[in-house]
């Protein structure tokens, strides 16, 4: 008799557990699983590289010699947009896998987009997947949400400063 958790008609690359393992080992999506300092460092690098991209745009509107504060606020604001986009992309990747793991059935494609099927998970697989969501993915999503809220609060503070002072 075969193990009930081993039978699954879903192709290996479309099984949620394998999608999870692939996501956590990927270069970009694995950032969230790093230690807090390393995770923040990765996001700061996104910010630094986007500063290089946004500084010329900001200097076109606010020459640095004439309007240094406005230049700085615009550059940091523009850079924050890139960091926010990276954070949103992290969230979307992890929430997709969370939904696939948490669901009672798995939608998969056998050979192409035109012949999709649904497979109802066995109770053992459903329990395993939901435990994985509870103990592994929920903390990751909470970390990403905290990151995004912190970034959003910073952007609101910068915009508020801009509105009040200028």
């Amino acid at each position: 008799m075969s193990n009930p958790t081993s039978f699954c008609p879903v192709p290996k690359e479309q099984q949620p557990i394998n999608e999870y393992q692939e996501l956590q080992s990927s270069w970009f999506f694995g950032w969230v699983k790093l230690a807090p300092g390393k995770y923040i460092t990765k996001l700061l690098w996104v910010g630094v590289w986007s500063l290089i991209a946004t500084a010329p745009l900001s200097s076109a509107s606010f020459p640095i010699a004439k309007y240094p504060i406005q230049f700085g606020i615009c550059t940091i604001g523009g850079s924050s947009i890139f960091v926010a986009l990276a954070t949103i992309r992290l969230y979307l990747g992890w929430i997709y896998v969370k939904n696939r793991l948490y669901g009672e059935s798995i939608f998969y494609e056998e050979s192409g987009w035109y012949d999709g099927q649904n497979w109802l998970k066995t109770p053992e697989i459903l329990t395993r997947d939901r435990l994985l969501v509870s103990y592994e993915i929920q903390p990751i999503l909470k970390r990403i949400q905290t990151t995004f809220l912190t970034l959003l609060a910073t952007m609101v503070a910068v915009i508020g400063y801009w509105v009040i002072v200028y």
Side-chain angles (χ1 to χ4, degrees), residues 139-151:
I140 288 170
L141 291 173
K142 185 164 175 38
R143 181 185 238 188
I144 296 170
Q145 290 167 347
T146 303
T147 301
F148 189 74
L149 290 175
T150 303
L151 185 59

Side-chain angles (χ1 to χ4, degrees), residues 68-119:
I69 293 174
Q70 292 92 333
F71 168 80
I73 290 173
C74 280
T75 304
I76 291 170
S79 175
S80 298
I81 291 170
F82 286 97
V83 178
L85 290 173
T87 305
I88 290 169
R89 182 64 188 112
L90 282 170
Y91 183 79
L92 290 174
W94 283 103
I95 198 76
Y96 171 77
V97 168
K98 178 224 172 221
N99 291 338
R100 298 260 300 160
L101 283 165
Y102 200 79
E104 291 181 5
S105 65
I106 301 172
F107 178 79
Y108 66 99
E109 298 170 354
E110 290 185 77
S111 60
W113 60 268
Y114 50 84
D115 63 348
Q117 301 286 330
N118 273 321
W119 177 68

Side-chain angles (χ1 to χ4, degrees), residues 14-25:
Q14 294 181 45
Q15 292 179 12
I17 189 75
N18 294 333
E19 291 173 332
Y20 164 73
Q21 291 169 345
E22 185 178 321
L23 200 66
Q24 76 174 357
S25 65

Side-chain angles (χ1 to χ4, degrees), residues 12 26 31 38 46 97 141 162 166:
K12 290 267 187 220
S26 76
W31 289 2
K38 290 185 178 188
V46 171
V97 168
L141 291 173
W162 179 278
Y166 301 102

